[in-house]
Amino acid sequence: GGRAARARVAEASTGGDASAPVIVGMGSAGVDYLASIAAFPEPDAKLRTDSFEVQGGGNCGNALTATARLGCRPRILTKLSDDGAGKAIVDEFEADGVDTSAIVIEKGASSPFTYIIVDRAGATRTCIHTPGPAFAEDEIDDDAIVTLLTGASLAYFDGRLTEVAIKVASKAREMGIPVLVEGERIRDNLETLLRLGDHVCTSAGYPRDATGEETTETAMVAMLAELPRAKTLVTTLGSRGAVMVARVDDVLEETTTTTTTLRELVGSLEAEAKAKETKENGDAAAVPLPAVPATSATVYLADAGADAATKLGPVRVTFAPAAAMRAEQIADTTGAGDSFIGSFCFGVATGMALPAAMRLGAYVAARKCTALGARPGLPRRDTVPEELFLEAE
């Protein structure tokens, strides 16, 4: 219950502690070359950067770094080369306490890297990615996968390197380890990987792209209806916050469950959560605490039709608002979604109530946005307000 979960969260926060939960992550890690400029250039323009940074990136790498700073013991599986970039990626992970012993190295190739243009006027970021070496499933054997997964509280997959990811996720399920899969954009074999997830996290656009539905809400309902194993689907909506649809398996026979639409619910839950937002904040410069998420009663969702409503079954919906930041607090949004997912992984691995994990994610994402790049702003556990780790009573 709540007390045991709080004890696990407290243990996780001691950092480098042998009892801290292990999270295995598989997916992308690379180097980001970040140029911050006043405004996005016209074609053929020459302009100067306001600031330039070289740092680790990649969805999985960023999310695992967030979990390490919150006090978990992450292990990463990815593929790099023995070039300078590859060495820099590994060194940065090790400095943050991410276990790199499972990384596969291909000699003489090029490690993945991304050019990121951060346009301050439009608050946009434009990414130009060069992938690393291909990762074939015969490059890692079953024994190595079992070693990687042994003792893990969660296995997280960012949706890349899917051929190997499917093999690792299948083994995690066999070993009874919860699986969290991210859907950011359509990729080969990602649908197969998503079907292995106990928890699925997506970008705002992914459900629409995957289902062809017009609205995010209808697409979420249609998507989760076709993922019978998934207990939850969490979709991030940028500066609005995030929505979770969670299947309910303990509906009492005598309770009458209403049928509504996710679209209506999200609107009313967002208003309810925002109404509880505290306006005053002791330190004007500090990142404000996100509002407490609002969760619905148990409902059936009719957005995608009767068939989908039946397949989906009874659910509860949670809306977790983003932190209400002022424009001048936001330096860069690169990796905000990764920091949210890393925090959600921390919550699953430590047994937090999932709405509380979403609120923690909103706070960590806001802190991340105060610095240029995906990782420098990620907070360490002792700088995160204690109340974010306590479940709402």
Side-chain angles (χ1 to χ4, degrees):
R3 188 171 299 131
R6 277 199 290 281
R8 284 196 296 280
V9 173
E11 272 169 26
S13 68
T14 51
D17 162 6
S19 66
V22 170
I23 294 176
V24 170
M26 186 188 166
S28 65
V31 174
D32 287 349
Y33 298 98
L34 287 127
S36 174
I37 54 176
F40 196 82
E42 294 293 323
D44 258 357
K46 288 184 178 177
L47 66 168
R48 287 191 176 196
T49 56
D50 295 335
S51 59
F52 178 74
E53 299 269 344
V54 180
Q55 47 185 249
N59 292 29
C60 182
N62 296 338
L64 288 185
T65 300
T67 70
R69 293 198 192 167
L70 290 172
C72 286
R73 290 184 300 149
R75 303 171 184 161
I76 188 164
L77 174 60
T78 190
K79 186 170 176 188
L80 302 172
S81 184
D82 59 351
D83 55 355
K87 292 187 179 77
I89 292 164
V90 169
D91 289 349
E92 189 171 342
F93 280 139
E94 290 183 346
D96 259 310
V98 178
D99 181 327
T100 60
S101 55
I103 292 179
V104 176
I105 303 288
E106 181 174 317
K107 290 193 158 59
S110 166
S111 293
F113 63 92
T114 305
Y115 295 119
I116 301 177
I117 301 165
V118 179
D119 147 34
R120 289 205 329 286
T124 66
R125 58 177 172 81
T126 304
C127 301
I128 305 165
H129 179 65
T130 303
F135 194 175
E137 63 178 306
D138 59 8
E139 293 180 79
I140 183 165
D141 61 26
D142 271 5
D143 289 351
I145 293 173
V146 170
T147 302
L148 171 72
L149 290 169
T150 297
S153 298
L154 178 70
Y156 154 65
F157 301 86
D158 75 0
R160 290 179 180 76
L161 311 174
T162 45
E163 205 177 291
V164 183
I166 288 163
K167 188 172 166 179
V168 177
S170 301
K171 181 59 76 176
R173 289 206 69 102
E174 212 176 282
M175 293 169 70
I177 298 164
V179 170
L180 185 147
V181 182
E182 175 183 354
E184 185 190 30
R185 58 176 65 96
I186 302 288
R187 300 181 195 281
D188 290 347
N189 304 317
L190 178 53
E191 272 187 56
T192 307
L193 182 60
L194 286 166
R195 283 193 209 108
L196 294 167
D198 297 287
H199 303 280
V200 173
C201 289
T202 78
S203 60
Y206 183 82
R208 290 198 306 270
D209 294 343
T211 62
E213 296 288 350
E214 300 229 328
T215 70
T216 298
E217 293 90 349
T218 305
M220 284 178 71
V221 174
M223 181 175 161
L224 189 54
E226 296 303 325
L227 296 173
R229 272 183 170 160
K231 300 184 179 92
T232 64
L233 171 63
V234 178
T235 296
T236 55
L237 303 175
S239 59
R240 277 177 69 192
V243 179
M244 175 172 68
V245 180
R247 283 192 160 105
V248 177
D249 44 17
D250 54 353
V251 180
L252 301 171
E253 288 303 316
E254 63 271 17
T255 56
T256 52
T257 303
T258 55
T259 297
T260 179
T261 64
L262 184 57
R263 188 155 199 150
E264 277 180 55
L265 264 185
V266 167
S268 60
L269 291 171
E270 183 172 14
E272 183 187 328
K274 292 247 168 107
K276 292 185 294 196
E277 209 162 51
T278 48
K279 290 287 174 266
E280 73 288 343
N281 191 10
D283 175 3
V287 166
L289 284 182
V292 175
T295 300
S296 73
T298 302
V299 295
Y300 287 94
L301 296 176
D303 303 70
D307 189 32
T310 306
K311 278 187 188 169
L312 179 56
V315 296
R316 288 193 193 100
V317 177
T318 299
F319 187 90
M325 293 176 75
R326 299 188 310 282
E328 64 270 19
Q329 290 179 300
I330 300 170
D332 177 21
T333 58
T334 303
D338 304 335
S339 59
F340 177 89
I341 288 175
S343 309
F344 194 78
C345 286
F346 171 90
V348 173
T350 56
M352 284 175 78
L354 296 183
M358 294 172 76
R359 187 182 187 214
L360 174 65
Y363 178 81
V364 170
R367 285 280 298 272
K368 187 242 71 76
C369 289
T370 61
L372 181 65
R375 299 186 192 168
L378 290 171
R380 299 207 175 275
R381 168 69 176 83
D382 54 10
T383 69
V384 177
E386 191 55 39
E387 69 185 84
L388 292 175
F389 295 97
L390 304 176
E391 291 185 43
E393 291 301 334

